[in-house]
Amino acid sequence: MAEGKYHLLPVYALLTTSDLAREGIRNSGSFRFADHIYRNEPSGRYGVGRLLDRVLLKLRGARSMRSRFFHSRREILRVVREMAGVTTGQLTVLSVPCGIARDLYEVAETLHTTEPALYEHVRFIGIDLDGEALDLSRELTQDHPTFDFQCADALAAGSLPGRLDAIVSLGFGEFLSDGMLYDFYRRCHSSLNPSGRFITSAMSRDRISDYLARELAELYTHYRSADQLVELLKSAGFAKVQTTHDEVGLQTLAVAEKVP
Ligand SMILES: C[S@@+](CC[C@H](N)C(=O)[O-])C[C@H]1O[C@@H](n2cnc3c(N)ncnc32)[C@H](O)[C@@H]1O
């Protein structure tokens, strides 16, 4: 109303019946919003809210965000399986910021069922600033003694543990300037073992999703192309960066290695 955009009021009222849109509007960029997209289970108020939620979950922006979750699951599994072939020691995987650590949880579930010997060798750590995200992550992973969650500022010096085999970071760079992201990548780089891998993603702009995010959720995203992401990771010290695009074409999915 302050901006005189009265035409958005009915859209706003309708959107708040959808659980996804309501979360996006009230808590821009929240871990619940991301997790709702990853779970892909429509919910909302009255029949219309659920229907609208289903439509929103099918938007290009939402499908593309979901693909980074699949990327994380796939690449964490790949890295622990490959490293298990060259070391008999413990492997440590960090998610930062972890939000609701569903990707780590699903990897642990898969390993527990299909490769119990490897499961015993993998330790998972989740770091987030928000105690609620950590509590929900602890609840989700309560059957797995291999998890450890820590409340810390990912941007503060010394907040990341060392000697890590893999770090995954999703839904963070989109909120940081290039300078802040560079510093964060530098610290991730120095926390990894020489053979460690960094798993991340960047998003390109989708007109409709960006319009909804800006006008209704006041969420201003830092979009980056594959080239921009590779340049940042390389300048932070990663020797090899592999990228692919998700099937929607909005998400760059990256895996960076310290040594070529
Ligand atoms: C969009 S969520 C992404 C979480 C998760 N990686 C995912 O993909 O669902 C962003 C998360 O970043 C956390 N966060 C924001 N700034 C942070 C900081 N400086 N240090 C640690 N966590 C932070 C928030 O608490 C929130 O859980």
Side-chain angles (χ1 to χ4, degrees):
M1 285 173 75
E3 292 175 20
K5 294 178 180 168
Y6 297 104
H7 60 286
L8 288 176
L9 285 178
V11 184
Y12 180 89
L14 182 65
L15 279 176
T16 54
T17 61
S18 141
D19 284 353
L20 180 68
R22 202 171 55 253
E23 181 62 24
I25 289 167
R26 306 237 161 109
N27 304 303
S28 307
S30 80
F31 60 82
R32 282 185 202 281
F33 180 83
D35 194 60
H36 191 97
I37 288 180
Y38 300 161
R39 275 189 297 114
N40 197 19
E41 287 165 11
S43 60
R45 291 184 194 155
Y46 328 112
V48 68
R50 195 157 177 276
L51 272 176
L52 191 57
D53 212 71
R54 186 184 296 278
V55 171
L56 293 174
L57 285 170
K58 285 189 179 151
L59 281 182
R60 290 180 77 224
R63 283 188 287 127
S64 173
M65 243 177 100
R66 198 171 306 122
S67 68
R68 74 186 189 198
F69 170 72
F70 298 141
H71 167 65
S72 168
R73 253 183 6 188
R74 188 175 55 239
E75 293 303 328
I76 296 170
L77 271 173
R78 194 196 307 275
V79 74
V80 295
R81 283 175 178 152
E82 284 182 14
M83 285 187 186
V86 289
T87 173
T88 51
Q90 193 187 52
L91 300 171
T92 309
V93 179
L94 168 73
S95 172
V96 58
C98 62
I100 299 176
R102 192 169 297 280
D103 45 357
L104 298 189
Y105 164 73
E106 292 196 3
V107 168
E109 287 274 292
T110 302
L111 291 177
H112 188 254
T113 314
T114 61
E115 291 134 286
L118 175 54
Y119 170 81
E120 296 297 333
H121 280 94
V122 185
R123 184 172 160 242
F124 298 96
I125 305 175
I127 289 182
D128 204 287
L129 203 50
D130 190 324
E132 211 187 334
L134 297 171
D135 286 345
L136 290 166
S137 293
R138 285 188 190 104
E139 203 180 309
L140 180 70
T141 60
Q142 60 188 336
D143 294 334
H144 296 283
T146 48
F147 277 84
D148 178 22
F149 291 101
Q150 300 165 11
C151 187
D153 181 351
L155 300 174
S159 62
L160 307 184
R163 305 177 58 82
L164 299 168
D165 296 289
I167 301 179
V168 57
S169 184
L170 302 181
F172 195 41
E174 290 84 346
F175 304 105
L176 301 179
S177 66
D178 281 359
M180 289 173 92
L181 192 55
Y182 167 81
D183 287 342
F184 174 66
Y185 285 169
R186 290 280 305 162
R187 287 188 304 102
C188 289
H189 180 272
S190 60
S191 287
L192 282 167
N193 283 330
S195 58
R197 279 184 217 164
F198 183 63
I199 300 159
T200 193
S201 67
M203 199 157 181
S204 312
R205 181 174 167 272
D206 171 61
R207 211 168 40 85
I208 298 176
S209 304
D210 185 54
Y211 176 80
L212 292 174
R214 274 186 295 109
E215 295 296 341
L216 294 161
E218 293 172 83
L219 180 62
Y220 299 91
T221 308
H222 287 268
Y223 297 108
R224 290 185 179 90
S225 67
D227 286 349
Q228 287 169 321
L229 181 64
V230 170
E231 200 183 313
L232 257 177
L233 285 164
K234 288 208 163 163
S235 67
F238 288 98
K240 182 177 166 193
V241 183
Q242 283 180 309
T243 61
T244 48
H245 272 109
D246 71 321
E247 57 182 32
V248 180
L250 286 177
Q251 201 84 219
T252 300
L253 309 169
V255 179
E257 294 175 50
K258 282 180 93 161
V259 288

